Amino acid sequence: MAPGHRAGTVSRVISHATTSPVAGTSAALAEAVIDLGAIAANVRTIGAVTRTDVMAVVKADGFGHGAAAAARAALDGGATWLGVTSSAEALALRAGGITAPILSWLHRPDEDFGPLLAAGVDVSVSTVPHLRSVAAAAARCGQTAMVQLKVDTGLSRNGARADEWGDLVALARAYETAGSVRVRGVWSHLQDADQPGSPLVRRQVSAFRAAVRVARAAGLDPVLLHLANSAAALTAPATRFDICRVGLAVYGVEPVGHANFGLRPAMTLRSSVVNLKRVPAGTGVSYGPDHVTGAPTTLALVPVGFADGLPRSAEGRAEVLVGGGRCPVVGRITMDQVVVDVGDRPVRLGDTVTLFGPGTAGEPTAADWARWAGTNPNDILTGIGARVARRYTGVTA
Ligand SMILES: *Cc1c(COP(=O)(O)O)cnc(C)c1O
């Protein structure tokens, strides 16, 4: 059980300020209802599987769920760290009153790291120029920068390559001796984690262990080693180390296709029927028209489109839940609207349309939309647009 976990039967409602300008207005054409209880429960589930601490990754506005609200729910579920990319994301969490440990991992080399250090945020460092900037900011501010060094073990994205690692750890050790830096962690990111048993994962674990040995030999004493993302955390024990950096699974999407860990999707995307018309066979629908009705039917207009995050590439496959059943989206997914063929279902003007949700009431999931669009669920969740109102519900136990 992860530290910070509160077992028990007392339920309480979490309420937070919403982040969207249209949230809370009844005129919103679409809303994303975020179940904070699901986020907390998912973190508990993950911690029970990994038996490590959990760093909840709340980058990209908490994968579209709202970073501060998602962070609080994850902490409530026992997460001990938060992970973000930019300094702006980290500082926004601090401005929202969140005091938990935060790691921020993507920066320009010439960034002024002063605000991040003043906010007590750990900085990930992958290059010597970044390290110099961090140490300079620490010296300017008269404090010790908490740093986590990132090694590239095969992803070829951020992180120092093995042939650069020796220089990076040696300089970090020199700054430690001078008092401007303390290396709290060493970490890396996996290339092929969603393929359980991938030999690439084994190779990266070995490379990671080797990098940690080099860091220790240079005199560093990192106490926080981490490598696993969601998929690895749940399926590859050798990748777990001290803490797992979990994004997708926190939001309730099963990260590995064939495995089910009982995660609960936290976001439900809903809209409503704003026009309804009975049409004969041979009626062209929306632009093109790409779709022509094959029989007399009823068409429902739903005011949510690609500007709200519905992928255009799901055309011809997407379905929604309306009138008690699944109905196909027909014709093009346009910027602001889609048309749904509801057939002879008893659908009325104003009825709720569920685009995706947990899948427990027959609605599609974000993972279904990802499959229809040929993308991944992260892309669907982070794509939900700013004009979709976020509404928070959820009771944590
Ligand atoms: C986004 C991200 C994660 C979270 O990945 P999931 O697969 O969503 O769990 C972890 N680590 C890093 C470096 C990331 O960029």
Side-chain angles (χ1 to χ4, degrees), residues 149 165-177 183 210-222:
L149 297 178
W165 184 242
D167 286 347
L168 188 64
V169 298
L171 183 61
R173 181 60 193 149
Y175 284 134
E176 271 197 347
T177 307
V183 176
V212 172
R213 282 194 297 273
V214 169
R216 292 211 167 109
L220 298 176
D221 180 27

Side-chain angles (χ1 to χ4, degrees), residues 167-259:
D167 286 347
L168 188 64
V169 298
L171 183 61
R173 181 60 193 149
Y175 284 134
E176 271 197 347
T177 307
S180 56
V181 162
R182 155 92 178 104
V183 176
R184 189 202 304 268
V186 169
W187 70 294
S188 188
H189 194 40
L190 293 166
Q191 186 169 40
D192 201 27
D194 42 13
Q195 304 298 325
S198 166
L200 295 179
V201 173
R202 280 199 299 282
R203 208 177 304 161
Q204 284 192 262
V205 170
S206 310
F208 185 62
R209 289 188 185 286
V212 172
R213 282 194 297 273
V214 169
R216 292 211 167 109
L220 298 176
D221 180 27
V223 294
L224 202 64
L225 306 181
H226 48 110
L227 180 59
N229 69 335
S230 293
L234 293 172
T235 64
T239 65
R240 286 176 190 152
F241 295 92
D242 297 315
I243 191 166
C244 295
R245 290 187 316 278
V246 184
L248 194 61
V250 165
Y251 305 101
V253 180
E254 300 287 347
V256 187
H258 63 273

Side-chain angles (χ1 to χ4, degrees), residues 55-329:
M55 178 185 291
V57 178
V58 295
K59 64 187 180 186
D61 200 23
F63 285 48
H65 295 66
R72 283 196 197 89
L75 294 167
D76 216 58
T80 53
W81 278 80
L82 301 170
V84 297
T85 53
S86 69
S87 300
E89 289 178 323
L91 295 173
L93 291 175
R94 286 284 185 259
I98 291 171
T99 56
I102 300 175
L103 173 64
S104 166
W105 59 65
L106 212 49
H107 309 98
R108 291 162 44 142
D110 61 346
E111 176 171 328
D112 173 6
F113 287 94
L116 214 49
L117 303 187
V121 173
D122 277 31
V123 185
S124 171
V125 169
S126 296
T127 80
V128 164
H130 285 84
L131 184 55
R132 289 194 198 287
S133 292
V134 172
R140 257 196 328 275
C141 306
Q143 71 180 95
T144 302
M146 298 305 282
V147 161
Q148 302 197 27
L149 297 178
K150 186 169 190 184
V151 58
D152 177 6
T153 55
L155 184 60
S156 303
R157 231 168 51 172
N158 216 348
R161 284 179 53 82
D163 57 356
E164 305 162 324
W165 184 242
D167 286 347
L168 188 64
V169 298
L171 183 61
R173 181 60 193 149
Y175 284 134
E176 271 197 347
T177 307
S180 56
V181 162
R182 155 92 178 104
V183 176
R184 189 202 304 268
V186 169
W187 70 294
S188 188
H189 194 40
L190 293 166
Q191 186 169 40
D192 201 27
D194 42 13
Q195 304 298 325
S198 166
L200 295 179
V201 173
R202 280 199 299 282
R203 208 177 304 161
Q204 284 192 262
V205 170
S206 310
F208 185 62
R209 289 188 185 286
V212 172
R213 282 194 297 273
V214 169
R216 292 211 167 109
L220 298 176
D221 180 27
V223 294
L224 202 64
L225 306 181
H226 48 110
L227 180 59
N229 69 335
S230 293
L234 293 172
T235 64
T239 65
R240 286 176 190 152
F241 295 92
D242 297 315
I243 191 166
C244 295
R245 290 187 316 278
V246 184
L248 194 61
V250 165
Y251 305 101
V253 180
E254 300 287 347
V256 187
H258 63 273
N260 188 326
F261 292 92
L263 302 170
R264 288 163 48 193
M267 185 190 290
T268 297
L269 181 65
R270 287 210 294 236
S271 184
S272 61
V273 176
V274 296
N275 199 333
L276 200 58
K277 55 191 64 174
R278 190 71 191 171
V279 298
T283 303
V285 180
S286 193
Y287 298 126
D290 290 2
H291 178 80
V292 177
T293 58
T297 192
T298 301
L299 300 176
L301 182 66
V302 183
V304 54
F306 64 75
D308 305 296
L310 296 188
R312 289 188 82 223
S313 51
E315 176 178 343
R317 287 177 291 275
E319 297 175 342
V320 300
L321 181 68
V322 57
R326 287 273 194 112
C327 298
V329 173

Side-chain angles (χ1 to χ4, degrees), residues 20-33 268-275 301-310 320 334-338 349-356 384-391:
S20 162
V22 289
T25 65
S26 57
L29 293 172
E31 67 173 6
V33 182
T268 297
L269 181 65
R270 287 210 294 236
S271 184
S272 61
V273 176
V274 296
N275 199 333
L301 182 66
V302 183
V304 54
F306 64 75
D308 305 296
L310 296 188
V320 300
T334 65
M335 187 182 291
D336 315 301
Q337 317 176 26
V338 291
L349 204 58
D351 275 3
T352 295
V353 177
T354 306
L355 285 304
F356 63 77
I384 299 307
R387 74 182 171 187
V388 175
R390 266 66 169 180
R391 187 158 66 78

